[in-house]
Amino acid sequence: MRFVPLLVFAIATSPMAAAADVPADLVAQLRREIVTNAAAKCPDSAAYSLARPDATAGPTVVGLGMYFQDLVALSDVDQTLDVDVYVVARWRDARLADAARGLASADCPLPAGSLWMPLFEPERLRSRQTFYPDRFLVNGEGIVTLVRRMWAKMSYPLDFHDFPFDRHHWTMTVWPVESHADELIVVPLDRMSGRSERLSLQGWRVGMLRVESSTASREQRSGTFARFDAILEVARDWSYYAWKLGLPLMLIVLMAYGVYYIPQTAVPQQIGLGTTSMLTLIAYMLTLNSTLPRISYLTRADRFFVGSAVLVFAGLMKAVISLALAQTPRAALIERADRWGRWLYPVAIFANFLAAVFA
């Protein structure tokens, strides 16, 4: 059986991984490098059992690791992430031990319905597809290794308040299906967890994977359960939005600034310029809305758009008021409004930018 190369990287594990009730020698065995031997013999069929190994000795310790071969697509609208991931599970079953194998592992077909395996379920799993026939490894100490490659779609709620400067800790949480914490303990396999250096995901900067284990309660479940978290920090590449949306928006706002320089005798041209700027701005706002889910709060980009819309609308209103006052004794107010607008408008643009980005 061919296994994917696994990155070695340092992680910080939870206190549970180093707890006194988890034997340090067993943790070292589970985290040991996998070595296969084609000549090693698989266990006899009589050695297989569906009973949990060493059930009377306490909870079974299961090592879990994840290696993200690829991150393919992160959808803001659906709040889902498509991943190509290897999941590694290791535990000790003394019934399958054979000193003749030594530290090397035999590659064996998975006996359907006769081998105890820990059952886990990912939280917020939307769909998955597995690859390759099910097989397992077992070495002379009875350390069983099960590796599965999956194409999975995971969902996770995102906080878009800082969009497009948002950063997220995307967490893939795995729980035992039935076993409580007094039956099954999880330790992270740090040597078998990580991510590929080359990812298909575009528009995001992805940090290194961090894996953690703990115990926690579950909704609608009684008792406590072992919990395994694979955490990826992802930061949006905001430069795309700065060039494709931010720069054109600034040009639209500056275009509306022209109403303060058009002569009073050309009020229809002022109104036409303000109207065109407003309609173009609305079209850009619709473009932004199509990239995000329907959320009940304003993002940084929304605040910038709203402030820009207010500035453009102020220029349009100035043109309308100019038309209304052009033939009245108060026509001198138009010239005064133009003088004030020529320096207040740029200040307002800068203040709107600061409020959206740094507030």
Side-chain angles (χ1 to χ4, degrees):
M1 182 176 182
R2 299 180 63 185
F3 287 87
V4 65
L6 300 175
L7 281 181
V8 179
F9 71 103
I11 61 167
T13 58
S14 68
M16 179 181 174
D21 56 351
V22 180
D25 60 334
L26 176 56
V27 174
Q29 290 176 351
L30 295 178
R31 292 176 174 173
R32 185 181 297 153
E33 181 181 0
I34 301 173
V35 179
T36 60
N37 183 358
K41 293 183 179 181
C42 295
D44 295 332
S45 58
Y48 296 127
S49 174
L50 289 176
R52 184 166 62 87
D54 298 325
T56 59
T60 301
V61 180
V62 178
L64 277 182
M66 287 189 183
Y67 182 85
F68 288 88
Q69 181 70 17
D70 200 6
L71 306 180
V72 182
L74 197 163
S75 172
D76 289 324
V77 176
D78 298 332
Q79 300 188 70
T80 57
L81 178 65
D82 292 341
V83 299
D84 182 359
V85 59
Y86 285 85
V87 181
V88 183
R90 306 190 79 185
W91 65 95
R92 183 169 64 186
D93 191 338
R95 297 166 298 190
L96 306 180
D98 185 351
R101 301 190 200 103
L103 295 179
S105 296
D107 181 6
C108 308
L110 192 65
S114 59
L115 174 65
W116 181 89
M117 295 186 300
L119 299 179
F120 291 99
E121 56 183 356
E123 196 174 71
R124 302 188 180 95
L125 177 67
R126 293 295 173 259
S127 63
R128 70 174 179 179
Q129 177 185 358
T130 58
F131 301 90
Y132 313 131
D134 287 336
R135 301 181 68 86
F136 74 99
L137 301 178
V138 58
N139 66 9
E141 297 173 333
I143 300 298
V144 181
T145 303
L146 183 64
V147 179
R148 284 181 175 170
R149 182 184 180 185
M150 296 188 300
W151 180 282
K153 182 184 288 290
M154 307 295 301
S155 68
Y156 191 78
L158 300 177
D159 184 353
F160 294 106
H161 278 95
D162 290 331
F163 174 84
F165 307 106
D166 46 331
R167 306 172 67 94
H168 308 280
H169 289 85
W170 190 283
T171 304
M172 185 174 182
T173 301
V174 177
W175 301 90
V177 175
E178 296 178 346
S179 301
H180 290 72
D182 58 351
E183 300 172 305
L184 189 149
I185 293 177
V186 174
V187 295
L189 301 179
D190 50 316
R191 297 186 64 192
M192 302 177 187
S193 300
R195 68 165 180 83
S196 174
E197 292 295 330
R198 301 184 64 181
L199 302 173
S200 302
L201 186 63
Q202 298 295 317
W204 295 85
R205 297 185 300 275
V206 184
M208 297 305 296
L209 180 71
R210 186 173 80 254
V211 290
E212 298 176 350
S213 64
S214 60
T215 57
S217 59
R218 298 185 63 181
E219 294 183 3
Q220 307 301 321
R221 300 282 187 94
S222 60
T224 58
F225 296 81
R227 170 175 174 161
F228 177 84
D229 293 312
I231 305 168
L232 279 170
E233 183 176 353
V234 293
R236 192 186 303 273
D237 186 357
W238 54 266
S239 60
Y240 167 84
Y241 297 93
W243 289 107
K244 291 298 184 76
L245 292 178
L247 180 60
L249 176 63
M250 288 296 297
L251 295 178
I252 294 171
V253 176
L254 291 174
M255 181 174 67
Y257 182 37
V259 300
Y260 296 97
Y261 289 91
I262 297 177
Q264 301 179 27
T265 56
V267 174
Q269 285 77 4
Q270 293 185 22
I271 295 177
L273 180 60
T275 302
T276 302
S277 301
M278 196 68 194
L279 293 176
T280 308
L281 184 69
I282 292 174
Y284 267 82
M285 292 183 70
L286 294 176
T287 301
L288 175 64
N289 290 337
S290 65
T291 64
L292 293 177
R294 296 181 182 274
I295 52 182
S296 58
Y297 52 84
L298 293 180
T299 67
R300 291 186 182 274
D302 290 330
R303 296 201 297 270
F304 185 62
F305 269 75
V306 170
S308 299
V310 170
L311 291 174
V312 172
F313 183 75
L316 177 60
M317 288 298 96
K318 180 265 174 189
V320 173
I321 294 173
S322 297
L323 180 63
L325 298 180
Q327 305 300 325
T328 67
R330 306 179 67 180
L333 292 175
I334 302 175
E335 183 178 353
R336 185 182 303 174
D338 285 338
R339 290 198 304 269
W340 280 85
R342 287 168 188 169
W343 69 269
L344 281 178
Y345 196 91
V347 172
I349 293 177
F350 185 66
N352 180 46
F353 174 80
L354 294 179
V357 174
F358 300 105

